[in-house]
Amino acid sequence: MSGDRIRGAVAGLAVGDAAGWPASRHRAALHAPWSRRLHRELDAFAEEHRVTTLPVPFALNQPTAPLAVGPSDDAEWLAWTLLTADRPRTAAFRELIGKDLRARVSVRTALDNLDRGVEPPASGHDNPHHFDDAAAVRAVAFGVLGRDPSDDAQVTNAGDGVLGARAMAAAVTTAVASGDVTRAVAAALDLLPEGTAIGHNARLALSAAERAGEAFAAVPALDAALLDHVYSYGVGAAQTVPAALALAAASGGDLTRAVPAAACLAALADSAPALTGALTGACGGFEAIPEGWTASARTLAGCCLPDLAGQDLMELTKGLV
Amino acid sequence: MSGDRIRGAVAGLAVGDAAGWPASRHRAALHAPWSRRLHRELDAFAEEHRVTTLPVPFALNQPTAPLAVGPSDDAEWLAWTLLTADRPRTAAFRELIGKDLRARVSVRTALDNLDRGVEPPASGHDNPHHFDDAAAVRAVAFGVLGRDPSDDAQVTNAGDGVLGARAMAAAVTTAVASGDVTRAVAAALDLLPEGTAIGHNARLALSAAERAGEAFAAVPALDAALLDHVYSYGVGAAQTVPAALALAAASGGDLTRAVPAAACLAALADSAPALTGALTGACGGFEAIPEGWTASARTLAGCCLPDLAGQDLMELTKGLV
Amino acid sequence: MTSYRERARGCLLGLAAGDALGAPAENLRPAEIRRRWGRLTEIEGGGTDDTEYAIFAASLLGRHGHGLTPELVARAYRDEIIPRVDGPMRGAGFSELGTVEALRRGLEPPLTGLVHSHGWSDGLAMRAAPYGIFCPGDPAEAARLVEQDGLVSGSGEGILGGRAVAGAVAAAMTGAGPEDVVDAALAVIPGDSWTARNVRRARAALDDAAPDEIEAALHEAVVVRHYPWTDLAPEAVALALAAFLAGDGEVEAAVTFGVSLGRDADTIGAIAGAVSGARQGESGVPARWAARIGPVTGKCLPVVAGRHVLDTADELAGLLTGEPAKGR
Amino acid sequence: MTSYRERARGCLLGLAAGDALGAPAENLRPAEIRRRWGRLTEIEGGGTDDTEYAIFAASLLGRHGHGLTPELVARAYRDEIIPRVDGPMRGAGFSELGTVEALRRGLEPPLTGLVHSHGWSDGLAMRAAPYGIFCPGDPAEAARLVEQDGLVSGSGEGILGGRAVAGAVAAAMTGAGPEDVVDAALAVIPGDSWTARNVRRARAALDDAAPDEIEAALHEAVVVRHYPWTDLAPEAVALALAAFLAGDGEVEAAVTFGVSLGRDADTIGAIAGAVSGARQGESGVPARWAARIGPVTGKCLPVVAGRHVLDTADELAGLLTGEPAKGR
């Protein structure tokens, strides 16, 4: 039974990763660079001609498969973490230096730091995106393994970025053990001090979602409570982790309600659905996730970590039951 | 009771319009042009540096209100249609020529055609986007009024674009009268010949969604059935109207399930959620829509039709009960 | 009198030359073309999809003649095009790529041409010339035949654009005067169509505009302003036929004027070259252009790699006269 | 001996001059700056947010002195900044704008500085000079005071950047040598911080690099590569202090070198100008620069419109000496 929930956490992250609008943008990275340049030119054309027809990623003279529904950046980084979880974290990251890969600003900067001799925790701290949720995504792996994600997290993140990772790992571990979303959320909250942005936002988000009563209904309140929009990074742990906790709670742990609601939080649609999917997938288990989604979300595209192209994410959970 | 469903159709469209990822892109049109140019430059930076942190619309030295959850292009064009529904359609469109506005390629080209003396139906036919769903969005107005949308539709569209409008109007009229999603979908299907792309796709979509059993579960199957991704225009009536019919049906007419699922069909997230919201809003009525959504979706931003900035969309339904 | 063979060779040489001449001018504004080349008169590189697809269309006629049906065309796509689409398919238009996707999904024509959003593509018009060659003096039959091909990958105005070009070539194959050729094109499409309106509008612009304003007048008459792509059949066909008229049906004048208009310049050049080449025959195509036309590379359609338009022309002529194709 | 008043005037004149000189170089690469100006030595236009926010910070000290608290700063934002944000707020940094949003939502410090993602902004460092002026010879108190301001709009390294600059100015107000000034900056921030690491790294780069490689070495030492914005305090403060050292504590040399580094050039120039100006006093600021500094326009902070940095300097000096401010 906990095996089903372990698989649910991993598949749930991939489903949420695939459900968000940005997934096809990430997957389109597999296309030739001119394709994305043309995308920007079309956007400029629409601006100039004042037409509202926004360009969506397209496959002109490029393979169409990357634009089908499928997992993207977060699922690949989760897979990489599962594959390397038993190795010392700094050593695992060091192997990525110089490789052809795509990653969040925090990870890119951390690799640059390691390359310059800046070791953890400075590698994650001396980092303009120390607050992003790269480590929180990877923490799903440590959550299903029942391990502390801190050593991993501080390679690339600091502050709210590390707290978000600890909260996600604790929530996933608790959800895998109990299937109980209330207990999972409480386990996360225990690790998020009130005086931090992420701790403040998590409590704000949970009460806003509770008032709304249901996941989709909570979206406008979460937008108003969490996002400042001045320069709204879409992947800040202080926004995405609280949104995931709140939507998981509001849905009663139902992935089919929580993930699409997360995708409606437009500014957070890159990773909030993935984190939400991991939490609710862990609560409900793999078998509760619609088959069409697990079928289309389990095979990695290699859009961030080319070595993982074609890898079946669910294979990586085989030893973990 | 049908008054509640009329208001539900109108509010539902606005809610779906607000729920999709592209809404804030449209609303950001209220910001200074350099803001969107900078957005494209940030996208190019991310490409060059191979970072996955995608820029989301931001409000640096710009008002933040446009980036809060709210309605965008489709809600404004619906409002314009409600305001002008009693006027001859060509005359109503003619008044827009030369005005500062933003619209789909079909509408922009139709205004250009009218300006050159190309009258309907050629204005909608001699039109590279004759197939888009601009008229289908406006048809929600004719649906709640119980009128034929064809005269309106053919000003800007032809072929599937006009069929989509007829189908939407019929479905909304039936939903307002009956509250029954099955009958509403059947009314739409009656007007969509099997040998057309929209008719073919509608039947394909409905059976795919029925097999999936539930709205969110149906998303991957709809993606596989409807989208070719070669050059996937996000607003083709032959894709968005079938998706809306299928998700409305799969949700049993439940807006809180159908609209967020539509937002997960990434390539169609611009207008499929809006059309889905109109159908399910008409089935369930205004009171069934979460209050947080109706509160944030009813005030128009003026991002496409500046004269409508601040207009309360629900005021326009007052005479229609 | 110019033989069918000479006209067929002139038609496809003109098509290939216009394709190659126009390729570097594609999507440029006329002013930018003038800035770069003055008048663009010399072929710089190879041709594109226009030539390769025309050779493929001719091969369909060689096998099926007047018995061609959409089902046979779809089968050729499935047997000869799709298996060789190895990873990305390069150099084809949206409509062909959309059609390949539709065929892969198991759809049959006409749905294969309806389910993508580029039914109006000039992808049929660019390859319509062989149908005109095959029906000299019979524009209606040429138009009927090209429609069999078009129903697989296009719809609406895309099919009408193919019909117009096939009809024009069929008329030109008899050496008809330029105005008669354009009348023949108009005769095989509905008057109440975007393509017909554009052809009439372009013709009127030619009549009314001062010589130095013709380019601008043609753009004003038919170019879609608020749309980012240029491969619209109603536009490309109208501009190509206008170029044919402006060049008084002479290959060099028609093609160089056609490519000076920018937009889908290679296809405009290919159509103008095909129609005028059919009218004048092989001798009408400048020798310096003909010298630049070699076998196609198959970069867009691997199945035709190594084929030469002159061989294709000879085969088509052979179908008409019953003679086997001679060497190039 | 140079008076506090002369040093205060030198500090804020230097800040305003560096801000104005660097403004056109913001976000340019050093090579592009060289291409455009050779060495950028002449002020072209007005200053930016650096100067206006510094004047605002000084006004806080004038009212609250050593009793300044984050609550008082937040009240000043609510009373004097937010009501005048009429529609868009121009010319401020992310951190100030994010803080305004947080205050509008009813948050209190330190959450107002924590909930946006730009805690590390150099927005505090750019306005830290008045706190140093106010605490001559007492870097620790200058740092404590600037942190009260910083807790409203920043966090972490953003606050440390402000502390370092305030500490440096406090030391410079006694005419300390350049190395001692930088040591004072380091003394008021944790050694295990990004800012301290960057200052040490920049200093080492200055020591090690050949003269024509200093710019590149400084970039290599502290510039974040894979991030699109340049307003990071650990970077701007390290580059500004490096410029101060490279210019041997002289205003013109320090500021012109600082703005040659690009990145957040106006803030780098402002900080280098403030520290060196405090050290040299008003006479150290080139007269041609001083002549270009007029009252601020209030384009970033309407509440300070019409104020002149020299009046502000005199008021701060008056607080120290008990004398009322003299005319400019």
Side-chain angles (χ1 to χ4, degrees), chain A residues 181 206 209-210 212-216 218 245-253 257:
Chain A
V181 71
L206 283 161
E210 196 181 342
E214 184 262 322
F216 178 68
L245 294 170
L247 291 171
S251 71
R257 281 196 171 268

Side-chain angles (χ1 to χ4, degrees), chain A residues 105 108 112 116 118 122 125-131 195-197 200 223-228 230-231 233 239, chain D residues 94 97-98 101 105 107 111 114-118 120 157 194 197 201 220-221 223-227 229 232:
Chain A
V105 168
R108 271 248 154 247
D112 223 34
R116 297 186 196 192
V118 179
H125 177 275
D126 299 3
N127 196 316
H129 264 207
H130 64 82
F131 54 76
T196 61
H200 173 78
D223 183 89
L226 296 181
L227 304 177
D228 78 0
V230 169
Y231 189 93
Y233 295 108
Q239 287 81 40
Chain D
F94 290 125
L97 292 163
E101 283 300 296
R105 280 183 173 157
L107 296 186
L111 269 175
L114 285 165
V115 292
H116 61 74
S117 299
H118 297 266
W120 39 245
E157 300 289 338
W194 186 4
R197 275 187 284 276
R201 224 180 265 138
E220 174 66 23
V223 165
V224 173
R225 272 186 271 196
H226 303 298
Y227 184 67
W229 309 108
L232 298 147

